[in-house]
Amino acid sequence: MEASQFKSDQYVRFCPGCGDHAICMALQKAMAQIGIPTHQVAVISGIGCSSRMPHYLNTYGFNTIHGRGGAIATGVKTSHPELTVWQMSGDGDCLAIGGNHFIHEIRRNVDLNVCMFNNRIYGLTKGQYSPTSPKGFVSKSSPFGTVERPFIPAELVLGARGTFFARTLDVDVPTTVDCMVAAQQHKGCSIVECLVNCVIFNNGTHAWIADREQRAEHSIILKHGEKMIFGANNDKGLAIEIDPQTFVPRLIVVPADDARVLVHDAHQQDPTLHRLLALMGQERNLEVAADVQDELPIALGVIRDVEAPTYDAAVNEQIQNVRASAKAHTFDELTATLEQWS
Amino acid sequence: MQNIVVRFCGDSGDGMQLTGNMFAQLAAEMGHEISTLPDFPAEIRAPQGTLGGVSAFQVELGKEVYTSGDKADVVVAMNAAALKVCALGSHFNHPQAHFDDDFSLFHRNAILIVDTDSLSDKDLEKAQFHTANPFEELGIPESVQIVPVALTTLTKEALKESGMDNKSVLKCRNMFALGLIYWLFDEPMEKAIHLLEEKFKKKPALVAPNTKVMVDGYNYGQNLALSVNQIHLSAEGGLGHTWKRSVNDSGLGHTRKRSSFTSIAGNKATAWGLIAAAEKAGKRLFLGSYPITPATDILHELAARKDMNVMAIQAEDEIAGVCTAIGAAFAGDLACTSTSGPGLSLKSEAIGLAVMAELPLVVIDVQRGGPSTGLPTKTEQTDLLQALYGRNGECPAVVIAASSSANCFDFAYQACKIALENMTPVILMTDTYLANGTALWRIPKLADLPAIQPQSVPEELKGHYNPAIRDARGVRYWAYPGMEGYEHRNIGLERDAEKGTISTNPENHEQMVLARKHKIEQIADQIPELKVINGQMVNEQMVNKDTLLVGWGSTEGHLHAAANELGCDLAHFNYICPLPKNTREVLSQYKRIIVCELNTGQFASYLRAQFPDLKIEQYNEIQGQPFAVERIVNFVKKS
């Protein structure tokens, strides 16, 4: 299929220069690559800039209320597992007002493809700090800087026993498309953290890796089965070592030809290494004034992709199993089982 | 003798609900009409033997049973605390309180069966008695016939050869009391034993000891020839008030010549109404819910009905309960959510989304005492204004109310029919009294229930569909994911009346507000007209033909009984928004209109807003209990 088949007739109203434009384009490309017909795709969103996305996709769409996209998407997918269901959400919609639904859709492993647009700001309400804004962040609702500790989304996903986590960057469309396609192929709750720039209220929030000159040195694109190599000259690799004093495992940067360079295994059930990879470079997002000397790159691509039973399939299977052995299948058969008299 | 009210009361752990239910079920099976009132504390297990831990079950049986009864004619009190609570009613905590006709839960000429083994000094102390003679201390009138029975000793005696431990033996005390009550009403033991076997089907080891104790209780009554006369009720086929009203008022009109009956609790009847509607509509039933007293039994029942292809989801919170349902509705299912008042508050925003997105959704509010956590296990009608208006913006939804435990079935069915045919949320109001109470239910056949034709979409809209296109009634067409050529974007934002896309145009917004309002109003064409119930003039001296009692929801039985005593008419509403088309016509025929509700006057104020020219009086009680017929009658006579 062609990306154009997934474009709706609506004029795209993201601000000029907003990272959401690129995500929208990547999503249309990914949907075309996946090739599921438009009428079998439902895109559910809450409220926020990201949640406008369904309007620009020529599929079934539902732009709902703030934070509840996850619960509504769970209802769509569980009742109709034959549909492909996407959820569009942001760091406020997903991690603040919708936090409860977010952790529970992950815990249950509902087969949803969740794009969580992280721009570390509330854009649609014109610039308040979000649960991913670094501590000390000055915004309209935190004129003296926030005093809150932020979430690291990956940590939340793994803490909720997530089976799929990918991270991508608005300006890197090929990686975004790859992550979205992988999210669709994964059976279970797939979280794709899309790092997007809010050109109006939080411009440059991801500049550390978004700047073209720095990106190769500051980020690594993980691919299952491939060596973890990065750098402008592909001269660096990632290895693991155990701190001899604390016995805490940590990742280190080694030369690309070092025998210790790790090979990425996204399918490993044990989340320990996935967590280390997902947390690389995240300290610099925790505080505005963070003085980070760390040379570890920020991980992009599919970090975790493991198999587990899905909620929607299990719910439907249980119904089918009970029905297969049940005596009554209709209302009249059911009432016939009652203790009754005339 | 016509009607009798029996009250079983004891400690939370004494099995009073089971005992009462078994008695009520046998009574129904023997052809009596029944109405029951389980009355239990909010705590699962309060300290044993204390006043706070008293659990009771009341049933009225006989002919023309309208309510579960104001006061008991026969009482079984399993301990000192139960005796006190029953004798003093809501005054049980007052240090100087005595038996008082206004508060006692039994009549002056009642039969009072008391376990004398549970009146030891320790028992009396736990129940805050100060003397050794509880009957005297409570001032129980001499006209009350006290039947002292050493229930505990006799139960131990009955099971002395069973080899059971003491704790298990004591758990069978309630069956001795039940056997005794069966003797009192001269119920057949074979049926009672059969019923017991059914109840303990999953615990076969308990059948023999419980049967032994129950039969011993029966024989105790027979052999000792207690100084009590047996009570003989006339049973006339069971074709009573309860089911007749449920058929007529719901407008379902499913009359059948040959009928079968069972007894059913309101929550189960509600769940089964949804199941029947889904099958009739050809839709899969989806329930998104979260545990909350007193609505949880609907979730329990539907979670167990996978054989009926029901998908019941226990969500992470109340909001997710309604939101998963909205998702299922968006995807084409018959979607429901069940809750009580606090949950309805949490669901408000999402119900607004369903109004805006014009999706069918059934919201069941089993009302309890409020506000906030309030009285979780008690009954009240205080959510009416919340159901009508508790959402942001101009946000009309259909509101209907069941009025008996049995007709919860009919109105759950009607809620689904209205929702699916009109693309709107429907809020179905029941309450603790209906939900936990049981009544005789005439079992319908699916074929006899009215057709449900869910809104669909015409073939010619394929390729041109949008969610703003309406039929001649003003109801939008329903297309959902999976249907090729009807892809669209639904929204909680205001939409363009023509294109269905986001619009902030001022005139368009007004047009859309009115279109949604009109859609609800036109439903008045689909519901039955209001029928006045004529009081049967029990007392020929009192004829108040100029007076109209008005009620809604669960109070119908009490108001009907009051109308009979007063010889006046009753207009009882099941359809609240929209109101039946002839409402004004009916109300305006009376000089006195008295709206009786278990709140401070919510329906009264709603009617005043609709009909500002009518003079509307009100009678209200807000004690977490059903009406007492006597108090309504006194109010109308005195005012």
Side-chain angles (χ1 to χ4, degrees):
Chain A
M1 294 178 79
E2 298 296 323
S4 60
Q5 289 172 268
F6 289 88
K7 278 184 192 162
S8 79
D9 58 359
Q10 294 295 296
Y11 177 74
V12 180
R13 289 172 189 274
F14 298 125
C15 303
C18 174
D20 290 4
H21 285 285
I23 303 287
C24 183
M25 200 169 70
L27 191 56
Q28 288 159 348
K29 276 189 182 177
M31 284 181 169
Q33 201 173 315
I34 293 160
I36 292 170
T38 51
H39 67 279
Q40 286 165 5
V41 178
V43 184
I44 313 297
S45 67
I47 292 295
C49 297
S50 59
S51 291
R52 287 268 170 151
M53 201 59 81
H55 296 282
Y56 310 131
L57 298 166
N58 189 33
T59 62
Y60 279 92
F62 196 3
N63 177 188
T64 69
I65 44 178
H66 203 17
R68 314 305 168 199
I72 292 169
T74 296
V76 174
K77 181 66 187 181
T78 310
S79 65
H80 290 269
E82 73 280 6
L83 298 172
T84 290
V85 183
W86 293 79
Q87 181 193 339
M88 299 294 138
S89 188
D91 42 310
D93 191 61
C94 227
L95 304 181
I97 190 168
N100 202 28
H101 312 307
F102 183 64
I103 57 173
H104 286 281
E105 69 189 0
I106 296 169
R107 170 181 70 83
R108 293 192 179 105
N109 202 30
V110 186
D111 187 14
L112 302 172
N113 309 322
V114 183
C115 297
M116 198 266 283
F117 298 47
N118 185 4
N119 56 10
R120 301 197 191 119
I121 191 89
Y122 284 79
L124 202 62
T125 48
K126 303 196 191 316
Q128 298 77 30
Y129 69 94
S130 90
T132 55
S133 299
K135 186 179 175 189
F137 183 74
V138 173
S139 71
K140 285 181 183 164
S141 58
S142 57
F144 304 104
T146 72
V147 296
E148 299 182 17
R149 303 171 69 206
F151 271 139
I152 298 172
E155 213 169 20
L156 193 62
V157 171
L158 294 175
R161 306 186 64 207
T163 57
F164 183 103
F165 180 78
R167 188 187 287 131
T168 187
L169 184 63
D170 49 7
V171 289
D172 184 354
V173 173
T175 300
T176 305
V177 173
D178 287 349
C179 289
M180 286 170 170
V181 172
Q184 161 62 25
Q185 284 162 351
H186 173 73
K187 290 285 157 230
C189 193
S190 311
I191 308 295
V192 181
E193 181 189 13
C194 305
L195 304 176
V196 297
N197 190 37
C198 176
V199 70
I200 307 293
F201 296 107
N202 203 9
N203 197 18
T205 184
H206 303 297
W208 180 252
I209 53 173
D211 283 355
R212 197 170 282 275
E213 300 78 49
Q214 304 196 68
R215 195 182 313 158
E217 288 294 317
H218 292 170
S219 68
I220 179 169
I221 298 170
L222 295 173
K223 288 187 173 153
H224 176 75
E226 291 185 15
K227 279 189 169 183
M228 299 184 192
I229 288 174
F230 70 106
N233 304 313
N234 282 328
D235 55 347
K236 296 175 184 170
L238 290 175
I240 193 166
E241 67 170 25
I242 305 286
D243 185 298
Q245 257 85 52
T246 63
F247 302 108
V248 173
R250 63 186 181 204
L251 292 166
I252 52 169
V253 176
V254 296
D257 55 3
D258 190 303
R260 292 174 294 168
V261 171
L262 294 162
V263 174
H264 183 44
D265 181 4
H267 304 329
Q268 170 60 250
Q269 284 283 351
D270 187 300
T272 311
L273 187 54
H274 295 156
R275 185 171 182 280
L276 291 176
L277 290 166
L279 293 188
M280 288 192 303
Q282 295 301 302
E283 310 88 85
R284 73 181 59 252
N285 299 331
L286 297 181
E287 283 189 50
V288 168
D291 180 21
V292 180
Q293 303 299 323
D294 196 356
E295 54 177 356
L296 289 172
I298 288 175
L300 301 174
V302 178
I303 296 170
R304 179 171 174 81
D305 179 2
V306 300
E307 279 186 24
T310 68
Y311 177 75
D312 42 293
V315 167
N316 283 279
E317 197 182 301
Q318 194 177 51
I319 292 171
Q320 292 320 314
N321 289 345
V322 172
R323 272 176 81 74
S325 60
K327 285 181 193 132
H329 296 92
T330 65
F331 177 73
D332 289 340
E333 287 169 7
L334 178 65
T335 54
T337 65
L338 289 169
E339 183 89 4
Q340 54 183 284
W341 53 91
S342 327
Chain B
M1 190 171 288
Q2 199 173 10
N3 290 356
I4 286 281
V5 178
V6 184
R7 189 173 181 90
F8 297 87
C9 48
D11 200 63
S12 299
D14 283 342
M16 291 296 95
Q17 304 304 321
L18 174 74
T19 313
N21 263 309
M22 285 177 68
F23 176 70
Q25 196 172 332
L26 187 67
E29 204 165 326
M30 295 314 294
H32 303 302
E33 286 178 34
I34 56 161
S35 175
T36 71
L37 173 70
D39 189 3
F40 40 78
E43 296 80 12
I44 300 297
R45 288 277 188 276
Q48 206 187 0
T50 59
L51 295 165
V54 174
S55 171
F57 185 98
Q58 186 165 307
V59 54
E60 176 166 343
L61 61 153
K63 216 168 83 178
E64 307 249 328
V65 171
Y66 299 107
T67 74
S68 53
D70 285 6
K71 286 176 188 294
D73 302 294
V74 177
V75 173
V76 175
M78 301 291 283
N79 66 10
L83 174 67
K84 188 175 209 177
V85 171
C86 207
L88 303 181
S90 59
H91 278 193
F92 73 84
N93 258 334
H94 297 203
Q96 305 300 326
H98 279 71
F99 180 94
D100 180 331
D101 290 320
D102 286 344
F103 295 102
S104 171
L105 302 179
F106 52 84
H107 288 292
R108 285 188 160 262
N109 54 357
I111 298 170
L112 180 57
I113 299 169
V114 186
D115 179 16
T116 49
D117 291 333
S118 301
L119 299 177
S120 71
D121 290 351
K122 210 174 150 193
D123 297 319
L124 293 173
E125 194 187 328
K126 275 193 209 161
Q128 295 171 27
F129 282 100
H130 307 293
T131 66
N133 187 337
F135 303 102
E136 203 176 275
E137 190 176 329
L138 292 170
I140 291 174
E142 286 188 3
S143 52
V144 172
Q145 205 177 340
I146 298 171
V147 182
V149 182
L151 274 179
T152 310
T153 310
L154 290 163
T155 304
K156 281 182 182 167
E157 184 66 24
L159 294 177
K160 70 178 175 201
E161 280 159 20
S162 67
M164 290 163 72
D165 62 85
N166 195 40
K167 202 175 161 192
S168 308
V169 167
L170 291 181
K171 278 192 173 173
C172 299
R173 280 165 73 230
N174 58 336
M175 288 299 131
F176 198 94
L178 182 63
L180 195 54
I181 292 290
Y182 280 150
W183 167 79
L184 188 64
F185 285 87
D186 201 15
E187 302 284 15
M189 264 296 103
E190 311 76 59
K191 287 215 170 191
I193 292 167
H194 175 70
L195 186 65
L196 191 147
E197 286 165 353
E198 281 289 308
K199 286 279 169 196
F200 289 96
K201 203 157 57 182
K202 286 182 182 156
K203 296 172 184 168
L206 296 180
V207 171
N210 279 291
T211 306
K212 171 84 167 68
V213 174
M214 182 175 78
V215 172
D216 279 10
Y218 185 90
N219 292 339
Y220 179 81
Q222 197 152 34
N223 296 339
L224 291 189
L226 292 172
S227 53
V228 183
N229 292 326
Q230 278 181 298
I231 298 166
H232 296 277
L233 289 169
S234 54
E236 294 188 5
L239 295 179
H241 155 84
T242 317
W243 77 271
K244 271 192 258 164
R245 293 281 303 139
S246 89
V247 170
N248 295 342
D249 259 23
S250 63
L252 297 185
H254 51 255
T255 47
R256 273 175 63 84
K257 282 175 193 151
R258 292 200 58 218
S259 300
S260 296
F261 296 86
T262 190
S263 71
I264 197 163
N267 270 342
K268 186 168 177 174
T270 301
W272 285 30
L274 305 177
I275 291 170
E279 188 176 332
K280 193 78 174 188
K283 291 278 174 192
R284 210 262 305 285
L285 177 61
F286 182 99
L287 178 84
S289 189
Y290 186 77
I292 183 169
T293 303
T296 317
D297 279 344
I298 298 172
L299 170 61
H300 294 167
E301 183 59 30
L302 291 176
R305 289 276 72 89
K306 292 180 179 25
D307 51 354
M308 297 289 115
N309 202 26
V310 177
M311 182 173 283
I313 301 294
Q314 181 175 317
E316 58 270 25
D317 56 31
E318 291 281 358
I319 297 172
V322 64
C323 284
T324 50
I326 288 172
F330 174 72
D333 281 4
L334 167 54
C336 309
T337 186
S338 52
T339 190
S340 185
L344 187 65
S345 305
L346 286 163
K347 293 178 199 293
S348 302
E349 188 193 14
I351 296 170
L353 172 65
V355 168
M356 200 64 162
E358 301 191 54
L359 287 168
L361 176 72
V362 174
V363 179
I364 298 147
D365 176 16
V366 185
Q367 299 168 95
R368 67 189 214 187
S372 185
T373 310
L375 305 169
T377 60
K378 305 299 176 191
T379 201
E380 222 167 68
Q381 296 186 297
T382 41
D383 293 346
L384 181 64
L385 294 181
Q386 180 180 209
L388 285 166
Y389 304 120
R391 293 170 290 280
N392 66 306
E394 290 287 342
C395 199
V398 176
V399 178
I400 69 177
S403 54
S404 77
S405 294
N407 79 14
C408 284
F409 175 87
D410 305 65
F411 289 99
Y413 187 94
Q414 278 294 47
C416 298
K417 179 172 160 70
I418 294 170
L420 288 170
E421 294 180 347
N422 296 279
M423 300 295 284
T424 176
V426 176
I427 301 176
L428 169 65
M429 315 289 286
T430 72
D431 58 27
T432 309
Y433 176 67
L434 296 183
N436 294 338
T438 54
L440 196 64
W441 179 49
R442 196 190 57 76
I443 303 167
K445 291 280 177 213
L446 195 74
D448 298 331
L449 296 171
I452 299 178
Q453 286 160 328
Q455 179 70 326
S456 56
V457 59
E459 182 75 27
E460 59 265 28
L461 284 178
K462 190 170 181 177
H464 321 280
Y465 173 84
N466 80 56
I469 307 175
R470 294 169 193 280
D471 67 11
R473 296 174 301 154
V475 178
R476 84 166 181 91
Y477 292 112
W478 193 15
Y480 36 84
M483 295 171 66
E484 195 176 350
Y486 299 91
E487 290 88 335
H488 66 276
R489 270 61 61 193
N490 207 333
I491 34 176
L493 291 154
E494 185 60 281
R495 67 167 128 244
D496 185 276
E498 306 291 323
K499 290 176 261 170
T501 50
I502 301 173
S503 167
T504 52
N505 177 287
E507 289 82 17
N508 178 76
H509 177 51
E510 187 163 290
Q511 185 185 343
M512 288 300 292
V513 166
L514 296 177
R516 288 186 288 267
K517 184 166 178 273
H518 166 77
K519 189 182 73 176
I520 300 303
E521 287 166 352
Q522 61 86 29
I523 292 168
D525 296 335
Q526 303 163 30
I527 62 174
E529 292 208 327
L530 182 62
K531 287 198 194 84
V532 167
I533 299 164
N534 302 115
Q536 290 169 355
M537 287 173 282
V538 174
N539 182 348
E540 296 289 340
Q541 306 299 309
M542 283 288 302
V543 179
N544 299 286
K545 274 296 161 202
D546 290 340
T547 300
L548 181 71
L549 296 185
V550 174
W552 67 278
S554 72
T555 54
E556 180 177 4
H558 298 85
L559 296 179
H560 194 160
N564 282 348
E565 291 209 18
L566 290 161
C568 70
D569 287 348
L570 166 66
H572 202 81
F573 288 78
N574 294 105
Y575 296 90
I576 294 168
C577 181
L579 286 166
K581 285 202 287 189
N582 62 334
T583 301
R584 166 184 287 282
E585 194 188 313
V586 169
L587 298 184
S588 58
Q589 287 165 14
Y590 295 85
K591 282 186 187 152
R592 276 192 88 182
I593 303 166
I594 308 170
V595 181
C596 306
E597 305 173 76
L598 300 172
N599 56 39
T600 59
Q602 300 193 7
F603 190 53
S605 70
Y606 175 68
L607 287 177
R608 286 184 194 117
Q610 313 292 315
F611 312 109
D613 51 318
L614 297 180
K615 185 171 180 294
I616 291 172
E617 296 173 57
Q618 61 186 66
Y619 174 73
N620 305 100
E621 291 184 11
I622 320 107
Q623 303 192 359
Q625 295 292 329
F627 273 130
V629 174
E630 197 184 324
R631 288 201 291 263
I632 301 171
V633 171
N634 287 342
F635 170 83
V636 176
K637 278 185 189 168
K638 282 176 194 161
S639 59

